[in-house]
Amino acid sequence: MVYFVNAKTKKNGNGTKELPFKTINEAAAIAKAGDEVRVAPGIYREQVVPRFGGTEENRITYKSEKPLGAVISGSEVLKGWKKYKGDVWTAKIDNGIFGGYNPYTTYVCGDWYFAPTVRHTGSVVLNGLMMYETTTLEECLEGKPDPYAWNQKESQFKWFCQQEGEAPEPKGEKTEYVVNAWDKDTKEGRYTVFYCNFKGLDPNKQEVEVLARRNCFMPKKNGLNYITVSGFKICNGATTWAPPASYQDGLIGPHWSKGWILEDLEVCNARCCGISLGKYRDRENDMYFYTKRLKSPTQMERDAVCRGQYHGWTKENIGSHIVRRCHVHHCEQTGIVGRMGAVFSTIEDCHIHHICNSQQLGGAETAGIKLHAAIDVLIQRNHIHDTIMGVWLDWEAQGARITQNLMYNNQRPDGFEQAKGAMFSTDVFIEVGHGPTLIDNNLLLSKTSITIPSEGIGVVHNLILGSFSLINSGVDSIVNDQREPRYTPYHIRHRTEVAGFMTILHGDDRIYNNIFVQQNAIKNKDKKPTDADYEVVGTAPFDIFPSYDEWISLFNFGKEPDMGKLATAHFGHLPVWVNGNAYLNGATVSKHDGENLVAKGKAKISLKNGLLTTNLSSLIGDFTTGVITTEKLGCAFEPEQRFESRDGSDIIFNRDFFGNHRGSHVVPGPFAELSDEINVL
């Protein structure tokens, strides 16, 4: 059955082509397996809540008839602005429009939220960009740039709100948190009153909207499988903070289900998250630390993993989503988020940028892509830039592969300080995982390229202009004068079932056939690889780890094993393998790298409008290295799983950044052949 929707039809119909529905939700209430919903161009100000799922053989498809012509918006136009004082105008909106969820009496807060200033889940959108919230009317009147915002000009456009009847007096920063993420900060009146500094613009002649709905397209029930959403612009949602031990919402997402396809979408202006592939709602483990403050945050995350299996977290039920060719931008927490619900998924050919640039929100869940438990997730051919972090895989990135991605400018602008509660910046962050996790054939061009307080990482055939960081660090804490290890799970191979728990021993990494270039000047030579913002490029930080021969000799296989005496080996560093890398501009060389090239001459590399200009070809010359394979990489230690495809087949790294074949002449880096100019977009 095909249902038609057209917001511009004169009167509501029955879903036929001749008499289309006016809203998508009318179709979503009846569309079942095998049905298609075709949506005409127009703006659909609604929260689409599918009632049914499809099957693997018969999906439900929601499709914009014209690419990006159908816009699902979580905002409402606000008119009737009156001059208040200076550049500040005021207008009010009836709170009845918000239903049971008022974004202007609800805060962004919860587990892992560190910013000292708590913002509302709503926002004001001026000509397609979210304005900056203030905590006082006085601050709004001043209209000064936010010192931490990455775009100083944009940050001068301010908004402030209050419930009608409240005095507009300065409140100062709000540091006391409410009971949970959905509690209200004030008694709701009939109206929400807005004050906005439009910096000389007349809002009655501009497009001014306020976020009104929490989501744009998400089911409320679990297990609505095999839905395709194609070709829409999805924007302007008052989404809530989405930490891992919590229900995670976004502008769009499958909730807790299997087999969705999100394709050719533009997703933007989420107060927190754009696309959510995450977590089921578990009333007993929802914002656990924030609401109960008893168990340690790490313990509640372990609980969430184990409880997930009770809630049906298996390969048969959850994940295997596809997110492809999506344009995700201007979200203030993450572009794509997911805890456990993203397993076995693919994120490919997406353009993700300007994530968490406002620095209005701060905490440990901010990145272009932020996934917990990215088991067998494939992240490939994405273009990720100007985000607080590119890709952050936290816990259980077992079998994940990050390949053929272009990442750059994922860092604070020069001269800017880290905002209070904000995270550091990097292209790729793999945290407290046991592997195997692959980072291959990428262009990693930010100041910090790879951050790995983890083990079991394979780094193969990348161009790396930034440093490694948090080597042998960022895992355990010292509490009550004793080490408190952060035990994390590993899983049955290519499954979600937990196989065991272990702290991170560090090491077990493979670093082959990369090009390392010290592109940026080293400003602070006192920084160490244990720092998040280490500036020295190259593999020397891995010298603290043993070689395989050194490590295996500790176990004394020729003698009677003594478990007690082997404790130093069992809890010592794991070995590393380093070989075949090229080092330029003084990038450091590990003692383990037996076959390497230290190139003479100055490397010059620039990226402009997708054109990568280099002189790498002349510097690397005729240096060649060997073909890397699954067999050569071996098994990650703790899960005893090979560096292999998610279907269990071997990987031969004979395809480059573009997918071109590497022949017998294998050069380091992400390209099968080096040239002076390469179009990487």
Side-chain angles (χ1 to χ4, degrees):
M1 184 74 180
V2 178
Y3 296 103
F4 294 85
V5 181
N6 190 337
K8 300 176 183 177
T9 187
K10 289 185 178 180
K11 61 180 180 179
N12 191 33
N14 58 10
T16 61
K17 188 173 184 179
E18 295 74 21
L19 295 170
F21 292 130
K22 266 188 172 292
T23 68
I24 304 171
N25 238 345
E26 292 171 277
I30 58 176
K32 295 184 178 179
D35 291 342
E36 180 179 347
V37 179
R38 296 182 188 172
V39 184
I43 298 178
Y44 298 83
R45 298 188 185 278
E46 57 180 308
Q47 183 169 327
V48 181
V49 183
R51 288 187 59 197
F52 304 101
T55 66
E56 191 170 6
E57 297 78 20
N58 294 288
R59 311 179 66 84
I60 300 176
T61 299
Y62 295 81
K63 186 175 180 63
S64 172
E65 291 181 345
K66 179 182 177 182
L68 305 182
V71 179
I72 306 175
S73 175
S75 62
E76 296 290 339
V77 175
L78 185 55
K79 298 180 179 180
W81 291 90
K82 298 178 180 179
K83 200 73 175 284
Y84 177 74
K85 186 185 297 184
D87 285 333
V88 174
W89 298 63
T90 186
K92 62 183 181 181
I93 193 168
D94 191 312
N95 287 335
I97 201 169
F98 302 126
Y101 173 74
N102 185 338
Y104 305 98
T105 58
T106 308
Y107 278 132
V108 176
C109 50
D111 292 340
W112 306 104
Y113 186 82
F114 300 147
T117 303
V118 182
R119 310 289 181 178
H120 288 100
T121 58
S123 188
V124 180
V125 179
L126 170 64
N127 296 330
L129 286 175
M130 285 188 287
M131 299 173 72
Y132 284 62
E133 184 178 5
T134 68
T135 58
T136 67
L137 179 56
E138 181 181 52
E139 184 187 352
C140 183
L141 285 163
E142 291 174 346
K144 294 181 180 179
D146 186 320
Y148 299 110
W150 290 16
N151 188 311
Q152 290 287 284
K153 184 177 180 180
E154 290 177 2
S155 73
Q156 297 178 80
F157 292 86
K158 308 285 191 180
W159 70 273
F160 171 76
C161 77
Q162 61 180 18
Q163 295 303 292
E164 187 178 55
E166 286 186 283
E169 290 142 2
K171 295 181 179 179
E173 290 191 346
K174 185 175 181 64
T175 56
E176 291 296 323
Y177 294 122
V178 289
V179 175
N180 64 49
W182 301 281
D183 275 0
K184 302 179 189 312
D185 64 336
T186 58
K187 184 177 180 180
E188 184 176 309
R190 179 178 175 183
Y191 295 99
T192 296
V193 183
F194 293 93
Y195 300 85
C196 294
N197 193 324
F198 292 109
K199 305 303 290 185
L201 297 177
D202 182 347
N204 295 308
K205 298 178 181 179
Q206 312 299 318
E207 295 181 7
V208 183
E209 302 173 70
V210 294
L211 307 189
R213 285 170 288 280
R214 183 170 172 175
N215 313 116
C216 293
F217 195 113
M218 284 190 78
K220 292 183 178 179
K221 296 191 298 184
N222 296 346
L224 299 190
N225 303 330
Y226 299 108
I227 291 176
T228 295
V229 184
S230 180
F232 294 88
K233 180 177 180 178
I234 298 174
C235 61
N236 301 355
T239 52
T240 61
W241 187 250
S246 168
Y247 169 68
Q248 294 180 312
D249 66 1
L251 295 181
I252 182 172
H255 203 157
W256 189 242
S257 63
K258 182 175 182 178
W260 279 43
I261 298 175
L262 306 179
E263 62 183 12
D264 301 307
L265 306 176
E266 181 180 0
V267 179
C268 60
N269 286 347
R271 185 54 155 160
C272 291
C273 300
I275 296 173
S276 171
L277 303 179
K279 180 179 171 287
Y280 64 94
R281 170 162 284 165
D282 182 348
R283 297 289 183 183
E284 295 183 34
N285 192 249
D286 198 24
M287 297 285 192
Y288 185 95
F289 179 78
Y290 183 68
T291 56
K292 299 182 180 179
R293 306 190 184 191
L294 295 174
K295 292 183 179 179
S296 75
T298 301
Q299 184 61 28
M300 74 180 184
E301 302 299 347
R302 284 187 284 264
D303 289 353
V305 172
C306 295
R307 291 181 64 84
Q309 296 183 312
Y310 170 77
H311 286 270
W313 189 43
T314 66
K315 190 172 186 177
E316 290 72 27
N317 295 332
I318 302 300
S320 297
H321 306 299
I322 298 173
V323 181
R324 61 191 177 201
R325 301 186 302 275
C326 291
H327 181 198
V328 184
H329 61 99
H330 290 91
C331 301
E332 295 195 5
Q333 181 186 336
T334 61
I336 302 174
V337 73
R339 171 58 149 134
M340 299 162 65
V343 289
F344 315 111
S345 294
T346 299
I347 301 171
E348 61 185 5
D349 301 307
C350 294
H351 185 193
I352 303 172
H353 61 98
H354 292 93
I355 305 298
C356 198
N357 286 185
S358 74
Q359 296 292 279
Q360 288 255 292
L361 311 182
E365 305 302 317
T366 51
I369 300 173
K370 173 65 195 286
L371 303 179
H372 277 75
I375 297 172
D376 282 358
V377 170
L378 178 61
I379 299 172
Q380 65 180 357
R381 298 190 305 271
N382 299 288
H383 178 197
I384 305 174
H385 62 95
D386 293 281
T387 71
I388 192 169
M389 291 190 194
V391 176
W392 183 356
L393 303 185
D394 202 348
W395 290 49
E396 308 149 87
Q398 185 170 327
R401 186 178 183 187
I402 302 168
T403 183
Q404 298 174 302
N405 300 282
L406 169 62
M407 301 192 208
Y408 59 90
N409 218 31
N410 297 309
Q411 61 208 26
R412 294 190 307 276
D414 288 339
F416 281 62
E417 294 184 6
Q418 187 171 332
K420 295 178 181 179
M423 295 300 294
F424 55 85
S425 292
T426 184
D427 281 328
V428 178
F429 184 17
I430 312 297
E431 186 175 8
V432 291
H434 300 283
T437 305
L438 276 170
I439 304 168
D440 71 276
N441 288 294
N442 302 286
L443 276 65
L444 305 177
L445 311 182
S446 299
K447 291 181 180 179
T448 304
S449 291
I450 302 175
T451 303
I452 46 173
S454 288
E455 59 194 23
I457 312 298
V459 181
V460 180
H461 275 297
N462 302 282
L463 173 60
I464 298 174
L465 303 191
S467 64
F468 287 101
S469 69
L470 292 183
I471 303 298
N472 193 40
S473 180
V475 173
D476 300 336
S477 303
I478 302 298
V479 181
N480 298 329
D481 297 322
Q482 64 182 16
R483 177 172 171 262
E484 294 296 337
R486 188 147 51 133
Y487 286 85
T488 58
Y490 51 95
H491 298 263
I492 302 297
R493 291 186 286 273
H494 307 297
R495 300 286 306 179
T496 59
E497 291 84 354
V498 173
F501 289 82
M502 186 55 185
T503 191
I504 304 299
L505 301 176
H506 299 282
D508 197 27
D509 302 319
R510 288 88 170 147
I511 305 172
Y512 288 109
N513 295 10
N514 303 281
I515 298 175
F516 294 97
V517 183
Q518 183 72 56
Q519 178 81 341
N520 297 292
I522 302 170
K523 296 179 181 179
N524 188 342
K525 294 184 179 180
D526 294 330
K527 291 181 179 178
K528 300 178 180 179
T530 53
D531 294 328
D533 53 357
Y534 183 61
E535 299 170 326
V536 179
V537 178
T539 57
F542 294 88
D543 285 353
I544 62 172
F545 301 109
S547 68
Y548 177 78
D549 289 340
E550 291 168 333
W551 174 76
I552 201 67
S553 68
L554 300 174
F555 291 87
N556 295 319
F557 284 114
K559 302 178 182 179
E560 188 70 22
D562 185 324
M563 287 191 291
K565 291 182 178 179
L566 284 177
T568 55
H570 289 151
F571 291 94
H573 283 152
L574 296 169
V576 295
W577 294 260
V578 185
N579 201 68
N581 301 288
Y583 302 87
L584 294 86
N585 293 2
T588 64
V589 184
S590 171
K591 66 182 182 182
H592 298 295
D593 197 341
E595 300 175 4
N596 65 76
L597 170 70
V598 178
K600 298 179 180 179
K602 177 73 172 178
K604 298 178 181 180
I605 300 174
S606 68
L607 177 67
K608 187 175 182 179
N609 298 324
L611 184 67
L612 184 71
T613 304
T614 81
N615 60 345
L616 293 176
S617 178
S618 61
L619 293 176
I620 290 177
D622 58 0
F623 176 76
T624 60
T625 183
V627 177
I628 307 302
T629 64
T630 290
E631 182 179 1
K632 185 173 184 63
L633 295 179
C635 288
F637 176 74
E638 214 66 65
E640 300 180 270
Q641 179 176 322
R642 302 190 311 154
F643 288 80
E644 61 190 8
S645 298
R646 57 189 176 190
D647 63 2
S649 62
D650 284 11
I651 299 173
I652 301 174
F653 294 86
N654 59 0
R655 297 286 173 181
D656 74 354
F657 175 84
F658 296 107
N660 294 328
H661 180 71
R662 288 188 175 96
S664 58
H665 185 87
V666 178
V667 297
F671 305 118
E673 295 184 6
L674 294 172
S675 62
D676 293 342
E677 291 186 345
I678 303 174
N679 193 334
V680 294
L681 287 179

